[in-house]
Amino acid sequence: MIRHAHWIWSSEATHAKPSRPTSSPYDVRLFRRVFECGSDPSAARLRIEVSADSRYVLWLNGVVVARGPAKGDVRHHFFDTVDLSSRLVEGRNVLAAVVLDMSTVAHRPDHLGAPCSVMTYAGGFVLGGRLEDGACRPLEDVSTDPRWKVAVDEAHGFQNLGTRFEGYHGYFEERFSTREPTGWKLAGFDDTGWEPATVLYRAELAEERRDPASPYGLLPRIIPMLEEGEEIPFAHTFSQTTDPETPPDSTEPETTRCFPLRVPPSTMLRLIFDVGETTTAFPVLRIAQGAAAIVRLTYAEALRLPWDTPGARLLGRKQSLANLASHFADESTGWTFDPRGTISGWCDIWHPSGIGSEESFEPLHWRAFRYVGLEITTGSTPLELRSFAHRFCAYPYDVAHSGFSCSDARLDRIWEISLRTMRLCSHETFEDCVHYEQMQYAGDTMITSRLGMATSGDCRLSRQALLHFDWSRIHEGLTQSRYPSRLVQVIPSWSLHWITTIRDYLLMSGDATTTRDLLHGIDAVLEWFRRHRNASGLPARLPFWNTADWCPTWQRGQPPGWDTGPTCVIASQFVAALDDAATIHRLLGDKDRATTLTTEADLLRPILHATFWSEREGLYFDRPGGPETSQYGNAWAVVAGAADASTRARLLRRFPNDPSLATVSFFGWHTIFSALERCGAYDTMPDHLQPWHEMVAHGLSTWAEENTYWRSLCHAWTAHPAIEFLARVLGVRPLTPGYAETEIRPRLCGLEHASGAVCTPHGPVLVKWIRRGRSLDVRVETPASVLARIVAPDGRTHVHHGGPLALTWEDCLP
């Protein structure tokens, strides 16, 4: 359908500003197309394919039916498919769209600008569709062409008030309702004053482009539309206090009981609305009257208080932030959930019309927040606050068939928060954090992708991410570290994490076709590292940003010696990536290529050990000769296989607890847990979850990015303990693509019992184990098409061919 449509815009096309200037930094257009449906709309069919540059919201007869497009790049520009048949009405119908063109606005992190993750060329809107009767006979073509009407929008403004640390998500709104044509989304609106749309170029599918006349290679959307929930009232409301020693006004009733609320003329009202937990949602505000009023909605993950506030509980501790990439770092204050705290952050601003019985505000894009500061300044007339609620929005993961519980209730809470963090950091892409970046990073994706697949069985967002990073590769061969992205950023380690994610995707999805398409990219990344080897054969003095983890003592996360020679962390990651690539080729049936890669890794392991091992310290140095040692460097050396059994035993005398080791952030523990397994010390895993217990004690409902709590309070990579619970405590891991062969090898970790489920393409794998003295009762249930190898702690193995099974391993425990 869309291949027969045209990209359209207003008459100035892509070459000029409208003759009537607007206050918006973006170019915003309103589009309409009226069509007739017969007397029996239930017999009619209307299926459309739609896209825009840069973002659109589409209505049918005044009801939102689509938002998009999904994030891609210009050469890989997604379109959405929507079936509107059930929403047709008899007689006149109207499709209406607001389209934001962000192409003329640069992205500047410290001043917002356009979203960094929205890649764009020039403003445009395209829709293909044909109204048909029940026999699929055409009734009317509604594809974009000059029959569509267009108007230059004057109601949507955008601003950066409240700008603070690196707002990668772009401008927030400033909307002027008096400038919006009343009823323009409805069929009865008189659009005779609107001009016919101007055709820009014919739509072109990416697979059909030969001599392109359009900048866009259109691809069907890979992922489903985002979930949008029902309106939910805020849990609590309170007044902002100006004196931190004075408790907040506790006379404000709960939100559900404070409406309607009258705000007198010439008054400023300030309230803070608390969801009770972090969310990603559309705020929905309804008012009446209020002409000339100004309404401001300020969004925050937490409130702010000075560290010396009496009786206040703040997140973390006061510390130096010198090595943290935090441009708004303030060591005198901290984050808190204490209602005495002040709210600050980005905001939407609304100028309601004050006309009619009721009007509402909902931003075009979802917001991330726990708190919303509502500030209402009235003019000469009163304003009635009718309701204020929020509608959840995220990728539609269904995690109902997964689960985990155990004898330690604290781990159950970590599981719950990990799943919530994963869900909130999954929208049109995986996101490192939702409050200030909304960017997809390969390192973060390595964790979120695996957790998303294991808890839902849905691999579509993972597949899209792998393609995104393949599309991002620069001419030297590396992937960009984040993509889609207007700003090119390259972190060599993140390209290696992309290879790991491909391995996990193949094993968990079984999708060999997509994996084969990525083999050239894998080879290009590995070859880049080979080109940057020193005489020993290890990667050394790598260009670009060599961050590996937010270690507090490393300059911007870069391990010591990154600029002078090889580092233990990155050299080990390269060796591990060779192993991952070998696994991918072996699973795809290319044994010769797998053997070649394994041989290369085997040759480098003793070099890795000799370069960084300190016999005196009994640890691996971060750089040749040291003196620095770190948790992360030693963990990666073990994971890469540099340490033999005797070396691992000696290393465990100091790793990972020795206070002289530079500490990892939350992200780094993902590798430490893998190292502990290789060292035979995985049963100590729960002993290292204190940072997560601390976040729970602080009252976080999602996980923070790093140990200072300064960068983000909802960050995907910190959710990785949930992977430990599924893959090691329950012990469920795929051995062949798509879990066709699955290992179930429980690790007890000092627990008395554990149970849960892992989602696979064939259905859930259920596991329950109970410790009884030195024996272990195991109950499993697997899909009929899954061959499970159930391994006892002492190594005994039982092969199971599907269905329920009960086992008791006698005397298998020490």
Side-chain angles (χ1 to χ4, degrees):
M1 291 182 290
I2 204 168
R3 59 153 60 97
H4 302 299
H6 294 82
W7 288 86
I8 59 173
W9 200 243
S10 47
S11 58
E12 71 280 357
T14 59
H15 308 294
K17 288 289 185 179
S19 58
R20 196 171 47 189
T22 69
S23 61
S24 172
Y26 301 148
D27 287 329
V28 184
R29 300 293 180 267
L30 309 179
F31 292 93
R32 281 174 49 88
R33 174 68 159 87
V34 175
F35 61 95
E36 295 284 337
C37 186
S39 59
D40 185 9
S42 64
R45 299 290 180 267
L46 178 59
R47 185 171 172 267
I48 64 166
E49 295 174 343
V50 55
S51 191
D53 187 345
S54 304
R55 304 288 293 174
Y56 77 85
V57 181
L58 180 69
W59 291 263
L60 175 63
N61 301 324
V63 177
V64 174
V65 292
R67 304 177 195 265
K71 296 176 183 178
D73 58 29
V74 176
R75 293 190 306 115
H76 310 89
H77 195 91
F78 290 115
F79 65 85
D80 304 320
T81 301
V82 188
D83 190 339
L84 302 177
S85 305
S86 63
R87 297 180 180 274
L88 296 170
V89 298
E90 181 180 351
R92 285 170 61 89
N93 291 255
V94 62
L95 289 164
V98 58
V99 177
L100 279 62
D101 168 22
M102 303 173 176
S103 65
T104 60
V105 181
H107 169 73
R108 297 171 63 196
D110 53 345
H111 294 285
L112 298 187
C116 192
S117 61
V118 176
M119 304 184 73
T120 181
Y121 176 79
F125 178 59
V126 62
L127 183 148
R130 187 172 65 179
L131 183 67
E132 299 175 336
D133 63 15
C136 297
R137 290 186 294 260
L139 299 174
E140 186 168 0
D141 190 338
V142 299
S143 301
T144 43
D145 60 18
R147 288 176 293 178
W148 280 73
K149 295 291 192 75
V150 61
V152 175
D153 174 79
E154 299 179 0
H156 291 88
F158 299 87
Q159 45 75 32
N160 64 351
L161 297 178
T163 294
R164 56 200 183 94
F165 169 53
E166 294 185 350
Y168 283 80
H169 44 35
Y171 284 137
F172 282 64
E173 289 189 37
E174 182 168 15
R175 191 178 303 176
F176 300 84
S177 291
T178 55
R179 303 177 187 174
E180 183 174 6
T182 303
W184 74 274
K185 302 164 193 168
L186 302 177
F189 176 76
D190 182 5
D191 59 15
T192 54
W194 290 27
E195 64 182 28
T198 296
V199 169
L200 301 179
Y201 17 70
R202 180 175 286 278
E204 296 174 343
L205 297 181
E207 63 190 35
E208 298 175 353
R209 281 156 64 87
R210 301 295 182 268
D211 182 15
S214 160
Y216 309 99
L218 288 167
L219 295 170
R221 185 182 181 109
I222 293 174
I223 61 174
M225 289 290 190
L226 299 187
E227 173 187 344
E228 295 189 21
E230 300 296 324
E231 293 182 20
I232 301 173
F234 285 81
H236 306 284
T237 310
F238 53 90
S239 298
Q240 179 69 71
T241 179
T242 57
D243 182 359
E245 297 193 23
T246 302
D249 183 357
S250 59
T251 62
E252 283 293 336
E254 294 267 321
T255 305
T256 53
R257 284 176 276 168
C258 74
F259 301 119
L261 179 64
R262 184 179 183 274
V263 186
S266 303
T267 300
M268 177 180 286
L269 173 69
R270 289 193 180 99
L271 296 173
I272 295 179
F273 288 77
D274 180 7
V275 179
E277 58 188 5
T278 304
T279 190
T280 55
F282 291 94
V284 184
L285 180 66
R286 289 188 173 84
I287 67 164
Q289 305 176 65
I294 301 175
V295 180
R296 182 182 299 226
L297 294 81
T298 302
Y299 307 101
E301 294 180 294
L303 307 176
R304 299 286 294 279
L305 276 176
W307 283 103
D308 58 359
T309 303
R313 173 184 286 183
L314 279 69
L315 306 185
R317 58 185 175 81
K318 188 176 182 180
Q319 59 185 288
S320 172
L321 304 174
N323 286 322
L324 187 69
S326 179
H327 298 177
F328 75 118
D330 176 8
E331 296 180 6
S332 67
T333 65
W335 299 112
T336 185
F337 301 126
D338 189 314
R340 291 175 292 175
T342 59
I343 190 167
S344 62
W346 301 288
C347 63
D348 288 317
I349 301 172
W350 180 33
H351 304 263
S353 69
I355 301 172
S357 59
E358 182 176 282
E359 57 184 319
S360 64
F361 174 84
E362 178 179 299
L364 299 174
H365 185 69
W366 54 267
R367 306 301 189 206
F369 55 89
R370 170 174 170 168
Y371 298 97
V372 181
L374 182 62
E375 178 183 288
I376 299 175
T377 304
T378 54
S380 58
T381 61
L383 179 148
E384 184 180 275
L385 185 59
R386 293 278 179 88
S387 66
F388 192 26
H390 53 95
R391 296 192 304 111
F392 178 73
C393 180
Y395 183 85
Y397 273 130
D398 180 3
V399 298
H401 300 291
S402 67
F404 175 81
S405 64
C406 68
S407 55
D408 188 341
R410 299 179 305 163
L411 302 194
D412 293 350
R413 182 58 178 153
I414 289 176
W415 165 264
E416 295 165 3
I417 296 178
S418 295
L419 255 63
R420 181 170 185 81
T421 304
M422 180 272 291
R423 286 224 63 198
L424 295 190
C425 291
S426 304
H427 288 82
E428 286 174 348
T429 64
F430 294 114
E431 292 139 336
D432 63 327
C433 80
V434 289
H435 185 63
Y436 76 86
E437 284 207 57
Q438 299 178 11
M439 299 284 287
Q440 180 173 252
Y441 285 80
D444 310 65
T445 295
M446 174 181 63
I447 289 171
T448 324
S449 168
R450 187 175 175 187
L451 183 54
M453 290 187 289
T455 56
S456 71
D458 185 343
C459 303
R460 291 171 290 182
L461 195 58
S462 298
R463 177 174 180 265
Q464 176 185 267
L466 295 176
L467 293 173
H468 275 154
F469 288 114
D470 195 38
W471 299 339
S472 80
R473 285 186 295 111
I474 60 176
H475 72 277
E476 291 99 327
L478 288 182
T479 65
Q480 295 179 44
S481 58
R482 60 188 182 201
Y483 204 78
S485 176
R486 291 186 176 212
L487 296 182
V488 176
Q489 182 196 77
V490 178
I491 301 174
S493 290
W494 264 225
S495 293
L496 301 176
H497 293 328
W498 174 64
I499 295 175
T500 301
T501 308
I502 296 172
R503 179 206 65 187
D504 291 342
Y505 175 77
L506 175 59
L507 282 167
M508 301 179 79
S509 73
D511 180 2
T513 301
T514 298
T515 306
R516 291 184 191 279
D517 290 342
L518 300 172
L519 292 179
H520 177 71
I522 294 173
D523 291 341
V525 168
L526 295 176
E527 187 57 33
W528 183 91
F529 278 87
R530 295 186 186 105
R531 292 198 305 271
H532 290 83
R533 292 177 293 186
N534 65 5
S536 73
L538 298 177
R541 298 186 64 187
L542 303 180
F544 304 113
W545 185 21
N546 281 260
T547 189
D549 180 70
W550 285 126
C551 173
T553 58
W554 291 357
Q555 182 188 26
R556 288 184 58 81
Q558 300 175 108
W562 70 270
D563 53 346
T564 58
T567 68
C568 187
V569 170
I570 298 176
S572 299
Q573 289 174 333
F574 173 61
V575 174
L578 291 171
D579 287 333
D580 287 341
T583 298
I584 292 168
H585 281 280
R586 186 181 70 255
L587 293 172
L588 292 176
D590 189 346
K591 296 181 180 179
D592 291 342
R593 182 62 177 151
T595 299
T596 299
L597 290 164
T598 299
T599 300
E600 182 180 1
D602 287 343
L603 290 172
L604 290 177
R605 282 184 245 276
I607 298 172
L608 187 65
H609 176 79
T611 302
F612 298 104
W613 178 253
S614 168
E615 188 64 28
R616 184 189 76 247
E617 297 290 336
L619 293 167
Y620 288 97
F621 283 136
D622 286 331
R623 56 174 148 188
E628 302 92 345
T629 58
S630 66
Q631 291 177 323
Y632 209 46
N634 281 273
W636 268 111
V638 170
V639 169
D644 60 19
S646 62
T647 301
R648 293 194 297 267
R650 185 170 178 203
L651 180 143
L652 277 177
R653 300 173 192 171
R654 299 182 63 184
F655 170 81
N657 296 323
D658 192 299
S660 68
L661 291 168
T663 57
V664 294
S665 74
F666 303 136
F667 177 60
W669 279 103
H670 179 63
T671 306
I672 292 178
F673 292 146
S674 294
L676 289 174
E677 181 182 41
R678 292 204 175 203
C679 290
Y682 189 76
D683 274 358
T684 66
M685 181 273 293
D687 300 337
H688 303 295
L689 293 176
Q690 184 54 39
W692 284 265
H693 297 318
E694 178 183 277
M695 286 186 275
V696 172
H698 282 315
L700 270 71
S701 58
T702 52
W703 301 129
E705 177 177 358
E706 45 70 50
N707 312 61
T708 72
Y709 297 94
W710 260 98
R711 287 181 56 88
S712 167
L713 297 182
C714 181
H715 204 87
W717 71 19
T718 313
H720 62 77
I723 297 175
E724 303 300 320
F725 300 161
L726 297 180
R728 292 190 173 112
V729 176
L730 294 183
V732 180
R733 287 193 276 200
L735 298 176
T736 60
Y739 289 88
E741 291 187 29
T742 299
E743 180 181 81
I744 303 175
R745 184 192 293 262
R747 267 76 172 179
L748 274 60
C749 296
L751 301 172
E752 294 301 315
H753 62 79
S755 62
V758 175
C759 293
T760 80
H762 309 278
V765 172
L766 283 70
V767 177
K768 180 178 181 179
W769 58 258
I770 302 174
R771 178 173 186 158
R772 302 189 189 280
R774 297 183 63 245
S775 300
L776 189 68
D777 288 345
V778 180
R779 303 289 184 271
V780 302
E781 185 169 351
T782 61
S785 53
V786 171
L787 185 150
R789 301 184 183 278
I790 307 164
V791 184
D794 62 0
R796 282 179 278 175
T797 301
H798 181 89
V799 178
H800 179 57
H801 292 276
L805 174 71
L807 285 174
T808 296
W809 300 102
E810 300 285 356
D811 297 323
C812 67
L813 302 173

